[in-house]
Amino acid sequence: MHIQSMYLKTMIDLLHVKERDNCDDPEGLRSYKSVEHCDKTGRGTQTVVSELNGTLTRTHSSFAYYMLVAFEAGSPFRGLILLLLWPFICALRFLVSEAASVQMLIFISTVGIKETEIEGVGRAVLCKFYLEDMHPHAYQVFLACGRRCVVTSSPRVMVEPFLTEYMKVDLVLGAELHSVKGFCTGLLKGPGVLVGDKKREAVERALQNMPPDLGLGSDPITSSSFLSLCKEGYIVTETQVAAVTQEDYGKPLIFHDGRLARRPTPMVSLFIYLWFPIGLVLSVLRLFSWVLLPVELATPLGAFLGVRVRITGAPPLLLQKENEASSRGSLYVCTHRTLLDPIFLSVGLRRRVAAVTYSLSKVSEMLSPLKTVTLSRRREEDARAIESVLQQGADLVICPEGTTCREPYLLRFSPLFAEMTNDIVPVGMRAGISLFHGTTARGFKGMDPFYFLMNPRPSYTVTILDPLPKEETCASGKSSFNVANDLQKLMGSVMGYQCTNLTRKDKYRILAGNDGLVPASKGTTNILLKRSHSINETSNSHLASESLTMLSSLWFSFCKCFPSKQG
């Protein structure tokens, strides 16, 4: 990372030398004060105009954001092309112009992609990475002003969702993508890339020649064209500072999407692509060890392959039930981090348990080492399906949030579980990743377990709480809604998660623009899936047949991960 920052600083310094040589009065441009000296008080009625990269964000390079668009809206292959051409783009910036290098970045990242897809990535993926890169001083000064405008060389459709949602920006001035029938051509409309005098002209047109009260720039040379319009101008000189903390976000970041967990700078991207084939093979071995082996063997083999699992609390198999003669199974109520929650709970219980699922992909159904109960979102049918499993004496795992949440928040609990049984065991889940997220709202869900297991050292912490006492269940006369709400508060306090009233529908509306509903297939019923099986009950010949089927489906899912899919 140090080599990368030195490399970028050298390239920027060389560019500044080139631009200073072409400047009539280079020394006169150094009259702007640092943003640290800007007084934030009394600016509630003032207008501020700011750049984005290197000003509101700590990093000058926008490579990471174009990589995210290429990878998430396009495919991993498109991201690889962008990475391979990055040295050429840097040379283009120095030898030709900044506008030419930005145009090349835009072309590679967007050509052939729907403009709505790019906007979706801007809303669901880029917000997290922009927030984590906010410069604290520029951020505070910018939010202190009442009217806010951002001028940037990046495409407006990429940055506008973040700026309007989290920074409350009134006007975003950026490059306008050219499209044909909704598909980007990789070219730009109008003035093209907003750099140099084009930034000044865009600000003048937008503000109708009314001079802004305050201007924030990244450099006294490259930003001077529009800073000269402002009554006051400041530059960001110190970039090696801690980013804005989550407590200072103007709006909490609860939902975000995308596969990449780390900011894909050039060096990080290089590591990701070098690790990708190794991680894919490793994820297959890790997953199939669970599919083909009993728990007693799969658990130590998973540890040998780098999967870390930490169990806290007493597994209920060591606790004595109140009614020894009861043949009903227990219901494990889990916080939902990834699709693999029930599998790692099985590690803590040292036996396989059935799992309640919804919107599970066909690939995940086929590869599931656990029995599953598929919900239809029709309350009566779902209640009968869950009740039938519990009456058979089988323990069942249910995630009442209805969908995963990556951040330390708990979504609203559905009260259905409280109506099914009084034998409720709360379980808190915490997943640890370093490179890839194992969940998606917009992508191909069949790759979720593989992406999680592709991390070099994926980890899981399973916290098994004491079973709910009868006075905390519906047996005491409490309503199912009160039981669900009280349990959400209990698990939030134990896990350090903040409780919300948000639901699955809210998540999918924000990230994918839909309600997250899956149309029911004809002829399907809410019963234990026949394809799901217990390893101990399966013959060797059947295992061989299932393994061949799984391998073919794995290849199919791997091929499907390259074109972007809605899920």
Side-chain angles (χ1 to χ4, degrees):
M1 297 299 292
H2 178 69
I3 296 176
Q4 177 202 2
S5 61
M6 291 294 294
Y7 171 74
L8 290 176
K9 185 177 184 301
T10 302
M11 293 299 296
I12 292 172
D13 289 344
L14 289 174
L15 179 64
H16 291 172
V17 170
K18 179 183 177 183
E19 294 181 352
R20 188 178 297 113
D21 291 341
N22 296 327
C23 181
D24 295 334
D25 186 15
E27 296 302 325
L29 294 175
R30 295 184 176 274
S31 59
Y32 298 110
K33 295 181 180 180
S34 173
V35 70
E36 288 84 356
H37 298 96
C38 179
D39 185 7
K40 300 184 288 292
T41 60
R43 297 189 180 273
T45 60
Q46 294 187 356
T47 299
V48 60
V49 178
S50 174
E51 291 181 304
L52 180 59
N53 296 318
T55 304
L56 292 179
T57 64
R58 297 175 300 165
T59 54
H60 288 266
S61 173
S62 58
F63 171 86
Y65 304 105
Y66 288 105
M67 172 60 76
L68 287 167
V69 171
F71 192 99
E72 305 292 353
S75 67
F77 182 69
R78 183 188 291 265
L80 178 60
I81 293 176
L82 179 61
L83 178 62
L84 294 177
L85 292 178
W86 175 239
F88 170 75
I89 295 172
C90 291
L92 192 66
R93 174 178 178 134
F94 174 64
L95 298 176
V96 182
S97 67
E98 180 185 2
S101 64
V102 173
Q103 175 65 77
M104 181 63 70
L105 279 170
I106 294 173
F107 181 83
I108 298 171
S109 304
T110 65
V111 62
I113 299 177
K114 286 185 177 181
E115 190 169 350
T116 54
E117 280 291 306
I118 298 174
E119 182 181 8
V121 170
R123 186 176 307 280
V125 181
L126 298 187
C127 291
K128 170 183 179 291
F129 292 96
Y130 275 124
L131 280 173
E132 292 177 348
D133 196 31
M134 285 289 101
H135 192 287
H137 303 302
Y139 178 83
Q140 294 170 6
V141 171
F142 186 79
L143 293 185
C145 297
R147 294 185 297 273
R148 304 164 192 144
C149 173
V150 170
V151 57
T152 176
S153 60
S154 300
R156 178 188 55 80
V157 71
M158 271 178 56
V159 301
E160 191 171 46
F162 161 71
L163 293 173
T164 55
E165 287 290 328
Y166 290 91
M167 302 293 288
K168 304 302 179 185
V169 172
D170 302 294
L171 181 63
V172 180
L173 304 176
E176 296 291 339
L177 295 177
H178 178 268
S179 61
V180 176
K181 295 184 178 180
F183 289 87
C184 296
T185 62
L187 306 177
L188 299 177
K189 298 178 184 177
V193 181
L194 298 186
V195 294
D197 291 338
K198 291 183 179 180
K199 283 187 179 179
R200 178 190 180 98
E201 295 169 1
V203 172
E204 287 179 327
R205 285 195 305 268
L207 300 182
Q208 300 178 351
N209 295 321
M210 294 292 293
D213 298 288
L214 182 63
L216 302 177
S218 60
D219 185 85
I221 299 175
T222 59
S223 305
S224 62
S225 60
F226 83 91
L227 285 180
S228 61
L229 296 173
C230 306
K231 297 177 183 179
E232 296 180 72
Y234 295 88
I235 60 171
V236 176
T237 56
E238 180 60 49
T239 58
Q240 300 299 322
V241 293
V244 174
T245 62
Q246 291 187 2
E247 291 76 15
D248 294 328
Y249 289 173
K251 175 183 176 181
L253 178 69
I254 300 177
F255 299 124
H256 58 87
D257 203 29
R259 293 298 190 184
L260 299 182
R262 294 188 61 183
R263 180 184 307 279
T265 60
M267 293 300 293
V268 172
S269 299
L270 178 61
F271 177 78
I272 288 174
Y273 278 100
L274 290 176
W275 174 259
F276 205 95
I278 302 172
L280 184 61
V281 173
L282 200 56
S283 70
V284 173
L285 295 176
R286 289 167 172 172
L287 183 60
F288 279 180
S289 68
W290 273 99
V291 173
L292 301 177
L293 297 176
V295 176
E296 294 78 8
L297 296 178
T299 301
L301 180 57
F304 175 76
L305 293 174
V307 181
R308 296 172 294 174
V309 183
R310 181 170 178 249
I311 310 296
T312 61
L317 62 89
L318 302 179
L319 302 176
Q320 196 169 12
K321 289 187 177 181
E322 289 184 10
N323 185 6
E324 294 286 351
S326 175
S327 60
R328 286 177 59 86
S330 298
L331 190 63
Y332 295 92
V333 179
C334 295
T335 60
H336 203 7
R337 300 290 106 177
T338 76
L339 183 66
L340 301 176
D341 289 341
I343 294 180
F344 287 102
L345 175 59
S346 298
V347 174
L349 300 177
R350 297 195 286 276
R351 68 181 187 278
R352 298 182 188 272
V353 292
V356 175
T357 65
Y358 178 72
S359 72
L360 196 64
S361 71
K362 295 299 182 182
V363 174
S364 298
E365 285 182 11
M366 183 172 294
L367 295 177
S368 173
L370 306 176
K371 294 183 179 181
T372 57
V373 178
T374 304
L375 299 184
S376 64
R377 296 282 168 173
R378 291 186 289 271
R379 192 177 185 85
E380 293 77 12
E381 293 184 15
D382 294 342
R384 286 196 299 269
I386 295 173
E387 179 67 21
S388 65
V389 175
L390 294 175
Q391 284 183 349
Q392 296 172 14
D395 291 338
L396 193 61
V397 182
I398 188 170
C399 299
E401 293 174 276
T403 187
T404 58
C405 184
R406 298 174 177 178
E407 296 298 316
Y409 293 91
L410 287 180
L411 308 187
R412 190 176 68 196
F413 280 20
S414 169
L416 179 62
F417 74 91
E419 302 171 7
M420 297 295 97
T421 181
N422 296 321
D423 295 325
I424 299 173
V425 182
V427 181
M429 295 288 183
R430 195 185 304 276
I433 49 107
S434 56
L435 291 181
F436 305 105
H437 286 293
T439 60
T440 182
R442 304 176 67 257
F444 179 52
K445 293 180 179 294
M447 288 298 293
D448 283 0
F450 294 101
Y451 268 108
F452 177 81
L453 295 174
M454 280 172 61
N455 286 286
R457 294 275 291 175
S459 65
Y460 241 92
T461 300
V462 181
T463 303
I464 303 175
L465 307 182
D466 293 335
L468 282 187
K470 298 304 179 185
E471 56 269 19
E472 296 297 329
T473 67
C474 292
S476 65
K478 294 178 65 174
S479 69
S480 59
F481 292 95
N482 289 334
V483 173
N485 291 337
D486 291 344
L487 182 57
Q488 183 199 36
K489 294 176 183 177
L490 170 65
M491 300 181 73
S493 63
V494 171
M495 300 300 297
Y497 295 157
Q498 184 175 338
C499 298
T500 72
N501 285 322
L502 300 174
T503 64
R504 174 189 174 90
K505 183 181 293 186
D506 296 318
K507 170 185 171 179
Y508 276 82
R509 282 180 176 176
I510 293 172
L511 300 182
N514 58 61
D515 290 340
L517 299 178
V518 178
S521 303
K522 292 182 179 180
T524 59
T525 56
N526 271 332
I527 61 174
L528 215 58
L529 292 179
K530 294 181 180 180
R531 178 175 291 143
S532 302
H533 57 279
S534 172
I535 297 299
N536 295 330
E537 299 171 356
T538 309
S539 64
N540 292 335
S541 60
H542 183 64
L543 277 176
S545 174
E546 284 289 331
S547 299
L548 291 175
T549 307
M550 292 170 190
L551 286 172
S552 63
S553 67
L554 173 62
W555 173 252
F556 172 77
S557 65
F558 175 71
C559 295
K560 292 269 283 187
C561 79
F562 285 91
S564 179
K565 292 287 182 179
Q566 295 291 329

